[in-house]
Amino acid sequence: STAVLPLIRQKIPGAHLAMLVKPYTAELLEHNPYLDEVIEYTGDFFRDLRNLRYGRYDTVLFLYPRISLALLGCLAGIRTRIGTARRCYSFLFNRRVNLSRRRMDKHELEYNLDLLAPLGIELSGKSPGPIFRLSSAERKWGTDYLKGLGVRPGNKLVVLHPGGFGSALLWPPAHYAKLIGMLAALRRVKIILAGGKGEKQLLKRIADDSGVSPLVIGGDLSLRQYAAVIDGARLFVSASTGPMHLASCLRPRLVSIFCPINACTPSRWGPYTKRAEVLMPLLPECQSCRPDECEHHPCMEKLTPEKVYQHCRKAIIGGTG
């Protein structure tokens, strides 16, 4: 979503730009140079309505349309309401863009940019990527934190994020364990195994099965602290997750592991950077996962650790970090 901000700022330099976001993502917008205000979406309809009315906003752009949000924009008296044209509540928008995300024919970021057309903004040339900025103080914190874990300036740091929250099929834990063992044999490589608070058992299992001793970070950091750790890495390995998109805004190279389900396609959800390698099992694309009916199940096992290692090694040895 943040990719729309520089284009709006360029078109309307004096605009006051605000983003309405859930509280857990608000910290991702800190230090954003294009943003004037962050409004936290509480989920309390009348409280959120009061906040929007108080702001006296002229225009709202619904990048993530939901009927409750569309009602908020309308009842808050926001004059220009931009949204998609194909929803049952699209009558609540008075500037409608005819697009369908179901076709999966472009990246989610590019669908968001299409919604800028009613503002007179049409993209020519390369699309801007997502915007996430760390301060110099946060980068120093990350350097000091890694030093405390025993990571030295000469080390080549690899961060692996094996978990996810059910939006896509994941690579097997046993494959991550084998990959860690292979990477650990490379000269000067230091490995961090990371995840959220609910993934500590997964991380312990992978670490134990790897036969080496990777550093483990189990959800004890804030999003911005985790970003500072990722920023110090040469390589970030993960599935299709929020941290993958965070890493795409930072300095490491990426190896991103995707499943062959159509709704999870990397052409729509992949990392928006040229520093990424996207890997998938070499299987036909499917519309949904039906294990009992699928001749390729379990499909993610068919992407071997050896194959992923080849791409990781190339990123580590040939990357600039």
Side-chain angles (χ1 to χ4, degrees):
S1 297
T2 52
V4 305
L5 295 172
L7 296 178
I8 298 174
R9 177 65 71 205
Q10 183 179 8
K11 179 71 174 181
I12 317 170
H16 175 90
L17 299 185
M19 289 195 84
L20 177 70
V21 297
K22 291 183 177 180
Y24 81 95
T25 59
E27 64 180 296
L28 297 176
L29 299 176
E30 292 177 23
H31 309 303
N32 191 303
Y34 304 102
L35 199 59
D36 299 298
E37 182 185 8
V38 176
I39 314 162
E40 290 195 358
Y41 175 70
T42 69
D44 180 327
F45 186 87
F46 293 103
R47 183 177 174 185
D48 291 327
L49 181 59
R50 285 195 301 271
N51 289 341
L52 291 183
R53 281 180 172 171
Y54 180 79
R56 302 179 67 183
Y57 303 103
D58 301 297
T59 301
V60 56
L61 180 65
F62 292 97
L63 299 176
Y64 183 75
R66 292 293 182 269
I67 189 168
S68 58
L69 297 175
L71 282 169
L72 279 174
C74 194
L75 294 175
I78 301 176
R79 186 170 63 250
T80 302
R81 302 179 301 279
I82 302 170
T84 57
R86 299 188 179 191
R87 299 175 184 270
C88 63
Y89 51 86
S90 291
F91 67 92
L92 295 170
F93 310 138
N94 55 14
R95 299 290 187 276
R96 291 181 282 274
V97 179
N98 189 21
L99 65 82
S100 174
R101 288 178 165 92
R102 292 183 180 180
R103 291 184 299 181
M104 302 283 182
D105 58 352
K106 62 176 68 177
H107 199 276
E108 181 73 4
L109 180 147
E110 293 165 351
Y111 282 122
N112 287 336
L113 297 182
D114 287 345
L115 287 166
L116 296 174
L119 295 176
I121 301 172
E122 294 186 6
L123 187 66
S124 59
K126 186 180 182 299
S127 303
I131 310 295
F132 176 82
R133 301 285 170 83
L134 287 171
S135 67
S136 56
E138 288 171 325
R139 282 200 162 96
K140 183 180 183 305
W141 181 92
T143 300
D144 292 343
Y145 179 82
L146 291 172
K147 188 181 296 183
L149 293 177
V151 179
R152 299 292 177 253
N155 290 143
K156 300 171 183 177
L157 181 63
V158 179
V159 177
L160 295 97
H161 189 107
F165 290 96
S167 61
L169 298 180
L170 299 177
W171 207 41
H175 283 20
Y176 273 106
K178 187 170 183 180
L179 176 64
I180 289 171
M182 298 168 76
L183 292 174
L186 293 174
R187 183 169 172 264
R188 294 189 296 162
V189 164
K190 200 83 167 180
I191 297 170
I192 287 181
L193 189 58
K197 291 181 180 179
E199 296 172 332
K200 291 185 177 181
Q201 286 300 113
L202 170 67
L203 301 180
K204 184 179 185 304
R205 174 184 166 191
I206 294 173
D208 290 346
D209 291 348
S210 70
V212 295
S213 300
L215 302 167
V216 178
I217 299 175
D220 300 321
L221 304 179
S222 71
L223 281 173
R224 298 195 68 84
Q225 288 173 332
Y226 186 28
V229 170
I230 294 172
D231 194 57
R234 176 162 294 211
L235 175 65
F236 184 82
V237 183
S238 76
S240 175
T241 65
M244 176 198 73
H245 295 292
L246 194 60
S248 75
C249 301
L250 300 167
R251 291 189 284 195
R253 294 180 180 272
L254 282 69
V255 169
S256 303
I257 301 171
F258 277 69
C259 67
I261 299 175
N262 173 263
C264 305
T265 178
S267 62
R268 181 172 174 188
W269 300 110
Y272 206 80
T273 173
K274 292 182 178 179
R275 293 177 288 102
E277 292 279 349
V278 174
L279 305 180
M280 299 173 63
L282 295 177
L283 297 170
E285 187 179 90
C286 56
Q287 295 302 313
S288 62
C289 185
R290 296 185 176 90
D292 295 338
E293 303 173 14
C294 181
E295 63 179 298
H296 303 295
H297 180 78
C299 63
M300 295 306 289
E301 290 188 357
K302 293 176 172 58
L303 178 62
T304 66
E306 290 77 11
K307 177 71 172 178
V308 177
Y309 170 76
Q310 291 172 9
H311 290 269
C312 289
R313 187 180 185 280
K314 179 182 176 182
I316 294 168
I317 303 301
T320 58

